[in-house]
Amino acid sequence: MHTLQATGDVRKVALWLGHASLQTTEMYLRADPTEKLALLEAHHAPLIKPGKFRPPSDKLMAILAAATSTKTRQ
């Protein structure tokens, strides 16, 4: 909506969003804002517990190194 207000050009909005068709962009622009808010409120973020980063194992690094060296020889 901000891009449309700033440019006044639906084509630029479509390009920004990566839409192949202007009809798709127009469909989103004409959607009722109260419906959009209701959908957002009805869904919540997935309940995922944060984990800790574990560096890759030496075995994994050896496999990747072997795969890389095989590709460079071909």
Side-chain angles (χ1 to χ4, degrees), residues 2-74:
H2 294 294
T3 306
L4 181 61
Q5 289 173 344
T7 64
D9 189 354
V10 176
R11 293 172 295 171
K12 290 182 182 175
V13 175
L15 287 172
W16 181 260
L17 295 175
H19 292 165
S21 167
L22 286 178
Q23 290 141 343
T24 303
T25 308
E26 289 174 354
M27 181 175 63
Y28 284 106
L29 293 175
R30 291 188 181 137
D32 183 12
T34 55
E35 288 181 21
K36 291 179 193 177
L37 291 173
L39 285 170
L40 288 173
E41 290 173 2
H43 300 282
H44 57 81
L47 303 173
I48 299 174
K49 293 180 1 181
K52 292 185 178 180
F53 173 76
R54 284 184 260 149
S57 67
D58 290 337
K59 184 177 178 181
L60 173 62
M61 295 307 290
I63 292 169
L64 293 173
T68 304
S69 65
T70 304
K71 284 184 179 180
T72 55
R73 284 188 237 153
Q74 293 176 354

